[in-house]
Amino acid sequence: MTQHSIEELIIEGIRDRKGRDITVVDMSAIEAAPVAKFIIAQGTSTMQVGAIADSVRDYVLRNGGVKPYNYDGYGNSEWIVVDYGDVMVHIFVPEARSRYCLEELWSDAVIDDLPNED
């Protein structure tokens, strides 16, 4: 069995619950960056955002044996953050994603928009 990176496991967890518009923001070359990578995705509703975050946590634990250090945002589920140390997962409803524009905050990072799977 091949060893998958935490990034691959997170992306699979997002796709497992039909998360869309996945963006990987690689900040590893930026000295002042808080983490190496952000993985950003969105769901169509607060219910789906919560389901995607649960799927990520379950998938990474089941397939990689890794628990997140922390997570937050389940209160309103417009923006849930799951912290894996060097990788932070941000799952938004579309309006909140547009409002916070994390990709633009780190525009000097390497940004990779992944294709949606339909």
Side-chain angles (χ1 to χ4, degrees):
M1 186 168 153
T2 61
Q3 179 83 15
H4 293 287
S5 72
I6 189 135
E7 180 181 331
E8 292 169 320
L9 295 172
I10 290 166
I11 291 166
E12 286 305 311
I14 293 168
R15 288 186 167 150
D16 195 50
R17 289 291 175 263
K18 308 293 186 229
R20 312 260 315 154
D21 300 324
I22 302 169
T23 300
V24 178
V25 181
D26 185 344
M27 300 173 287
S28 57
I30 301 171
E31 197 173 310
V35 294
K37 290 185 180 176
F38 280 169
I39 298 177
I40 305 166
Q42 68 188 42
T44 57
S45 67
T46 56
M47 186 177 288
Q48 187 187 17
V49 166
I52 293 167
D54 288 344
S55 177
V56 167
R57 292 172 42 220
D58 293 343
Y59 196 90
V60 172
L61 181 59
R62 187 172 60 249
N63 295 287
V66 179
K67 289 183 180 179
Y69 291 105
N70 206 348
Y71 48 87
D72 193 20
Y74 279 92
N76 66 17
S77 296
E78 289 185 2
W79 175 7
I80 295 178
V81 179
V82 184
D83 177 359
Y84 285 101
D86 281 345
V87 180
M88 297 277 286
V89 185
H90 298 270
I91 305 158
F92 291 97
V93 292
E95 302 79 31
R97 186 172 185 174
S98 296
R99 187 177 324 125
Y100 294 105
C101 302
L102 291 186
E103 296 94 325
E104 290 179 22
L105 288 175
W106 297 100
S107 58
D108 48 347
V110 177
I111 298 175
D112 187 15
D113 293 315
L114 305 183
N116 286 322
E117 291 186 341
D118 290 319

